[in-house]
Amino acid sequence: MVVTVIGARPQFVKAALLSRELGKKGIKEVIIHTGQHYDYKMSEVFFTELGLPGAGINLNAGSASHAVQTAEILVGIENYLLEHKQNISHVLLYGDTNSTLAGALAASKLNIPIIHVEAGLRSYNRSMPEEINRVLTDHLSTLLFCSSDEGVRNLKKEGITKGVHVSGDIMLDAFNLFSGIVKAKYRITDIIPERVAGNYILLTIHRPVNTDNIDNLSEILAGVGDIQANVVWPVHPRNKEAITKLNIPSNIFIADPFSYFEMMVVLDGAKKVATDSGGLQKEAYWAKKPCVTIRSETEWVETLHDNWNTLASPRREDIRNALKKTICHESWAQLYGDGKAGSRIAHHIGNNP
Ligand code: UD1
C-alpha cells in the first residue's frame, strides 16, 4: 500500500491525477491530508472538482510557524505509519511544502521508501522555505520523478543518481485532461464580471518574500496598477489582512481564491500573467500566455527560453516595464513531457514493490 501525503493546493491537483493511474494499476493508496490548507476554497473544492478520493485521515494541522506546522504534521504522519507499517510499501510525496518535508522525515526514520514527485527542482535560493524542503526531501527519497532533464542534472550535482527518472510534469496531465472539459462547463463571466472579462491580466502572489513585506506587496500592486488593462487578483488567504491596509489601484479586481477549474478558465481568457507561483508559470506557458514572474529566480528555467516567462523584481517600474514588454511569441515547444507523467510514475511504482 502507498501512503500519499498532501496538504496544499497544488498537491491536490497532482494527487488527483496520479491517484487515478495508481488505481488503474491496482496499487492500493491511502491519502493523508495534513490540513496545511483548510479553507473550503483552498482544499475541499479541489477534492470534489477533481474527483480526488477523500483523505483516509486528516491531521488538521492548520497554520502555524514553520517549526510548529512541520512538527505537528510529522507527529501525525508518524503515528499513522507506525500503526500500519507492515502494510506500507512507499510514502508518496509531492513538491516542496512543509507537508512534503514532514512526510519525508517521518518515513525515512521508519525506513519506509519515499517517492518524490517533482524531484530535482532548484532555485538555489536557501531563503525560500520551499528550497529547503525540496533539497531535504530529494536526499531522503528512493524513487525520484523529475519534470525535465534539468531536474536530473540538478540531482546529479548533489550526488543523487539512483532511482531518478524523467517522468514529465504531472501538472501537464491535469492541464490536458481538464482544459477541454472546463471550457465546455464554464463561461468566463460566471467567474468574473463582464466589465473586467474583456481585457485583463491575471495576478497571483503568495510567496512570503512578496507578501510578508508590505513594501514589496504595495510596489507589486502599484506596478500592475500602471498597466492599461484590468487585473484579476484571486487573493491567497495570507494576503487578506494586508489588502485592508493597502492602496488598491482601481484597475484591480479582487477575487476569492479560484478552484482549479475556475483558474483554468480565467487563465484561458487572460492576456498576460503576473505571478510568483511555480505552477502558474508552467500553466501560463502551456496556455501560451506571456508571463512575468515576480521573483529573482525560477526553478522552471525552461520557461525563460524565448522569453515566454520574464523575471521581475518586486519594484513598481520593473513590473510595469516587464508586463508592457512581454508579448506572445511565434516559437513555442512542448515543455515538461507529453502529458503522460502519471501513467509513467505509476508504472515505476508498480515495478518497485
Ligand atoms: C504553501 C507552501 C508553498 C505552496 C503553497 C501553495 C510551504 C512552506 N509553503 O504556501 O510552497 O506553493 O502552499 O498554495 O509549505 N491560510 C488560510 N487558509 C488556508 C491556508 C492558508 O487562511 O486554507 C493562511 C494562513 O494565514 C497561513 C498562511 O495562509 O498562515 C500561509 O499558509 P501556509 O500553508 O503556511 O503557506 P502557503 O503560503 O499557502
Side-chain angles (χ1 to χ4, degrees):
M1 169 175 91
V2 170
V3 174
T4 296
V5 177
I6 49 178
R9 244 178 347 183
Q11 294 170 330
F12 307 142
V13 179
K14 293 166 196 167
L17 270 290
L18 190 46
S19 281
R20 286 167 191 241
E21 298 298 331
L22 293 176
K24 282 186 204 164
K25 297 235 170 342
I27 299 168
K28 194 164 179 278
E29 180 190 31
V30 167
I31 293 177
I32 299 183
H33 185 333
T34 64
Q36 179 171 348
H37 285 176
Y38 44 90
D39 287 351
Y40 173 78
K41 295 215 81 176
M42 298 290 285
S43 172
E44 197 183 325
V45 68
F46 290 84
F47 281 76
T48 33
E49 208 171 56
L50 303 172
L52 181 60
I57 175 164
N58 193 323
L59 303 178
N60 293 313
S63 309
S65 70
H66 284 275
V68 170
Q69 188 182 56
T70 310
E72 272 190 27
I73 299 171
L74 178 59
V75 172
I77 295 173
E78 189 189 55
N79 284 340
Y80 183 86
L81 297 181
L82 279 173
E83 200 178 320
H84 301 275
K85 193 166 185 268
Q86 58 283 21
N87 301 321
I88 300 171
S89 61
H90 300 88
V91 167
L92 170 58
L93 305 169
Y94 295 91
D96 51 23
T97 68
N98 289 342
S99 299
T100 313
L101 176 62
L105 290 172
S108 60
K109 298 287 174 87
L110 294 171
N111 294 319
I112 300 172
I114 295 167
I115 303 162
H116 189 204
V117 174
E118 219 177 67
L121 272 192
R122 294 292 180 269
S123 66
Y124 296 103
N125 176 354
R126 288 274 169 109
S127 71
M128 292 175 69
E130 292 84 1
E131 182 74 356
I132 294 161
N133 294 343
R134 59 171 86 102
V135 169
L136 295 174
T137 302
D138 280 339
H139 280 263
L140 296 174
S141 294
T142 312
L143 273 175
L144 300 95
F145 294 102
C146 302
S147 298
S148 72
D149 295 336
E150 183 73 15
V152 180
R153 281 193 287 275
N154 290 338
L155 291 172
K156 199 171 171 199
K157 283 186 214 157
E158 293 170 25
I160 305 172
T161 52
K162 236 179 113 202
V164 176
H165 303 273
V166 179
S167 55
D169 197 291
I170 197 144
M171 293 290 275
L172 179 58
D173 297 25
F175 186 85
N176 289 346
L177 177 68
F178 293 118
S179 46
I181 304 172
V182 163
K183 277 180 212 162
K185 198 171 161 176
Y186 289 95
R187 282 171 313 163
I188 184 71
T189 47
D190 296 335
I191 305 164
I192 56 175
E194 203 158 350
R195 67 181 163 80
V196 178
N199 177 27
Y200 66 89
I201 287 167
L202 170 61
L203 170 72
T204 78
I205 299 288
H206 79 276
R207 298 280 166 198
V209 63
N210 286 331
T211 59
D212 297 359
N213 178 329
I214 203 86
D215 179 46
N216 283 355
L217 190 54
S218 70
E219 285 277 320
I220 292 168
L221 296 183
V224 296
D226 287 341
I227 297 297
Q228 299 294 318
N230 296 308
V231 175
V232 174
W233 182 26
V235 173
H236 187 289
R238 64 155 61 240
N239 290 325
K240 257 191 197 151
E241 205 194 318
I243 58 171
T244 61
K245 297 183 191 145
L246 285 168
N247 229 344
I248 310 289
S250 60
N251 62 334
I252 297 184
F253 173 74
I254 289 185
D256 284 339
F258 292 141
S259 72
Y260 180 68
F261 286 178
E262 288 170 337
M263 193 64 170
M264 286 191 107
V265 178
V266 176
L267 173 62
D268 186 57
K271 296 277 184 269
K272 296 178 181 181
V273 174
T275 190
D276 61 6
S277 147
L280 190 56
Q281 290 173 56
K282 287 177 291 175
E283 288 165 338
Y285 185 84
W286 293 324
K288 301 193 171 112
K289 307 289 174 182
C291 179
V292 171
T293 295
I294 307 169
R295 280 182 47 194
S296 48
E297 72 285 302
T298 177
E299 303 79 30
W300 303 105
V301 289
E302 296 91 342
T303 60
L304 299 173
H305 300 161
D306 295 328
N307 299 320
W308 277 99
N309 190 10
T310 322
L311 299 176
S313 71
R315 302 269 65 90
R316 177 177 191 161
E317 208 176 78
D318 208 10
I319 291 164
R320 178 184 60 218
N321 292 345
L323 272 171
K324 279 188 178 162
K325 221 171 102 192
T326 187
I327 49 161
C328 282
H329 300 275
E330 286 288 309
S331 61
W332 186 93
Q334 182 65 61
L335 290 180
Y336 306 116
D338 56 3
K340 297 192 175 76
S343 83
R344 220 166 268 129
I345 294 170
H347 174 79
H348 281 292
I349 296 174
N351 285 346
N352 285 273

